[in-house]
């Protein structure tokens, strides 16, 4: 064993760096971008020689130091802004650059080909509305962070009650995080369906015209379209279904940032327009349902995941169960083909005759 070789950081160390990274990204962008710990945590799993107890102690001490040395409101707002930048704005910008720099390659990766290119002819070309869509989308993201900030001020400064989110040196237990994430995403699914269908697509709703003349005028989805909408429609369509579950269940700040990271990645990939996604079994079906809603004049697929649409009978195209079954069958077929290809490349073993 080389005593002078530094030990590799553990998975828990990398998890803490990923949690701390959004805050560092806003506070000190240059250092944060050079280190990129969150990406290393997501892409490079490693093993560690540290004891688990020491990692937990380190995690607790570092988190406590962060909370005690900064205003809780500052940690919440900067962390939330960092999460939205890291998991939505940066990937959406990267997809936009890829689509514009390599249109021929991007068109092959898009579900609807050249029609789905942000700077394609169908979208108005390079002088089209893509830049307005990106600016409005980024502005709505900032609006959401501002509304969260305002809600905390109302709770703590105006009403003089506890903060909307739980911000303390006590760390949530893993099972508590899992339970909050599951019920938060499930409630978001219900709220997004109800608000989207009855507040943004009902003929008697005053918000219907705002929503249909903004987001539904986009020819085909790309990542920035996820948050492109009239500000009032954005609050109803995106902010409230995302924030209300965290407010109702009073998520711990760490749990809320994990939850927000999941939501941000879902928005990025679901509206990306690509037919090749990291998790075809889940994201592929979500993306297809969002495309059918956007390109089908909003006549169905109102929820995020498609579960409530399946129950309510408002699914467009294949339902969520059919999508998952088809994707699972395709994955099994691909695995069998890979297995046959590997076996075909091997020389058969000679069998001795008895």
């Amino acid at each position: 064993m080389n005593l002078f070789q530094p030990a590799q950081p553990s998975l828990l160390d990398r998890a803490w760096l990923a949690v701390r990274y959004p805050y560092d990204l806003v506070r000190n962008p240059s250092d944060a971008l050079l280190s990129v710990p969150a990406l290393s945590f997501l892409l490079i799993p490693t093993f560690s020689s540290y004891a688990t107890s020491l990692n937990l102690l380190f995690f607790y001490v570092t988190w406590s130091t962060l909370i005690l040395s900064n205003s809780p409101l500052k940690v919440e707002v900067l962390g939330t802004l960092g999460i939205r930048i890291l998991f939505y704005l940066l990937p959406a910008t990267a997809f936009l650059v890829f689509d514009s720099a390599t249109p021929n390659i991007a068109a092959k990766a898009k579900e609807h080909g050249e029609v789905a290119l942000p700077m394609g002819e169908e979208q108005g070309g390079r002088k089209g509305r893509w830049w307005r869509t990106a600016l409005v989308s980024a502005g709505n993201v900032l609006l959401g962070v501002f509304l969260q900030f305002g809600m905390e001020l109302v709770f703590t400064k105006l009403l003089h009650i506890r903060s909307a989110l739980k911000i303390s040196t006590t760390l949530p237990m893993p099972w508590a995080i899992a339970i909050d994430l599951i019920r938060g995403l499930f409630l978001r699914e219900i709220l997004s369906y109800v608000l989207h269908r009855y507040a943004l697509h009902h003929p008697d709703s005053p918000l219907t015209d705002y929503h249909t003349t903004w987001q539904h005028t986009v020819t085909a989805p790309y990542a920035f379209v996820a948050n492109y909408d009239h500000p009032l429609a954005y609050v109803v369509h995106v902010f409230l279904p995302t924030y209300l579950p965290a407010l109702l269940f009073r998520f711990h700040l760490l749990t809320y940032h994990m939850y927000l990271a999941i939501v941000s990645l879902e928005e990025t990939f679901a509206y990306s327009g690509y037919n090749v996604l990291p998790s075809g079994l889940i994201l592929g079906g979500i993306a297809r349902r969002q495309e059918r809603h956007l390109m089908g004049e909003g006549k169905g697929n109102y929820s995020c995941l498609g579960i409530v649409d399946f129950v309510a009978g408002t699914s467009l195209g294949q339902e969520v169960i059919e999508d998952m079954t088809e994707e699972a069958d395709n994955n099994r077929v691909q695995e069998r083909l890979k297995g046959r290809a590997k076996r075909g490349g091997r020389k058969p073993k000679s069998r001795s005759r008895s």
Side-chain angles (χ1 to χ4, degrees):
M1 178 182 292
N2 188 353
L3 298 178
F4 298 99
Q5 183 178 2
Q8 293 292 331
S10 69
L11 188 62
L12 188 56
D13 294 332
R14 290 182 180 275
W16 165 245
L17 291 175
V19 171
R20 177 72 185 267
Y21 183 70
Y23 177 77
D24 291 338
L25 181 67
V26 179
R27 188 182 63 174
N28 197 337
S30 59
D31 291 345
L33 289 175
L34 289 175
S35 61
V36 199
L39 297 181
S40 65
F41 165 69
L42 294 172
L43 302 177
I44 311 175
T46 60
F47 298 95
S48 169
S49 60
Y50 295 131
T52 303
S53 58
L54 291 179
N55 284 319
L56 291 174
L57 179 61
F58 170 78
F59 193 99
Y60 173 75
V61 170
T62 311
W63 173 254
S64 300
T65 303
L66 177 64
I67 296 299
L68 295 175
S69 60
N70 296 276
S71 165
L73 183 59
K74 179 180 178 182
V75 175
E76 177 185 343
V77 172
L78 292 185
T80 299
L81 180 60
I83 288 287
R84 294 297 274 164
I85 292 174
L86 180 63
F87 292 102
Y88 176 69
L89 291 178
L90 287 181
T93 302
F95 288 164
L96 182 63
V97 172
F98 172 73
D99 292 343
S100 60
T102 58
N104 293 331
I105 299 176
K108 295 178 181 179
K110 292 281 188 177
E111 183 72 20
H112 299 282
E114 295 182 359
V115 175
L117 293 177
M119 300 183 190
E121 294 182 2
E122 295 289 338
Q123 306 262 24
R126 293 187 176 274
K127 296 182 179 180
R129 56 184 296 180
W130 62 268
W131 61 271
R132 180 174 178 266
T133 302
L135 287 178
V136 171
S137 181
N140 281 336
V141 169
L142 295 178
L143 173 62
V145 177
F146 177 78
L147 290 175
Q148 181 180 330
F149 171 72
M151 186 65 68
E152 289 290 6
L153 288 180
V154 170
F155 273 57
T156 57
K157 303 298 183 182
L158 184 61
L159 301 179
H160 299 287
I161 58 177
R162 64 184 186 180
S163 59
L165 300 179
K166 186 178 181 180
I167 308 174
S168 67
T169 56
T170 304
L171 298 176
M173 293 294 101
W175 55 85
I177 293 176
I179 292 174
D180 278 345
L181 290 178
I182 292 173
R183 62 182 182 176
L185 292 171
F186 182 71
L187 181 56
R188 172 177 175 259
E189 172 78 356
I190 297 174
L191 289 174
S192 65
Y193 178 89
V194 174
L195 293 175
H196 194 182
R197 181 179 182 180
Y198 296 106
L200 300 180
H201 284 285
H202 195 279
D204 295 332
S205 174
L207 298 177
T208 299
D209 288 340
Y210 291 134
H211 181 61
T212 55
T213 57
W214 282 61
Q215 190 178 66
H216 278 272
T217 58
V218 178
T219 306
Y222 49 97
F224 276 114
V225 178
N227 290 279
Y228 171 71
D229 213 336
H230 187 280
L232 291 177
Y234 165 81
V235 171
V236 174
H237 185 201
V238 178
F239 176 75
L240 289 180
T242 301
Y243 184 68
L244 286 181
L247 180 65
L248 178 63
F249 299 123
R250 198 167 184 254
F251 284 177
H252 190 283
L253 183 58
L254 282 175
T255 304
Y256 176 70
H257 283 167
M258 294 179 188
Y259 165 77
L260 193 61
I262 294 173
V263 171
S264 299
L265 288 174
E266 177 213 304
E267 291 176 344
T268 302
F269 288 108
Y271 283 86
S272 66
Y274 296 121
N275 52 25
V276 179
L277 296 172
S279 175
L281 184 61
I282 298 176
L283 289 176
I286 295 174
R288 285 190 293 272
R289 283 186 288 277
Q290 295 294 350
E291 289 172 358
R292 291 166 190 155
H293 171 81
L294 192 64
M295 302 176 73
E297 299 180 355
K299 296 179 180 179
N301 292 354
Y302 300 106
S303 61
C304 301
L305 306 179
I307 299 174
V308 182
D309 283 293
F310 171 73
V311 175
T314 54
S315 298
L316 291 178
Q318 287 183 322
E319 295 179 338
V320 59
I321 303 300
E322 294 174 340
D323 270 333
M324 294 182 68
T325 302
E326 182 179 339
E327 287 293 340
D329 291 339
N330 291 337
N331 290 340
R332 283 194 292 269
V333 170
Q334 292 177 3
E335 289 176 0
R336 285 198 294 268
L337 291 176
K338 290 179 180 179
R340 291 178 183 177
K342 290 181 180 179
R343 290 193 298 270
R346 297 174 182 173
K347 294 182 179 180
K349 297 181 179 179
S350 60
R351 298 180 180 179
S352 58
R353 296 181 180 177
S354 55

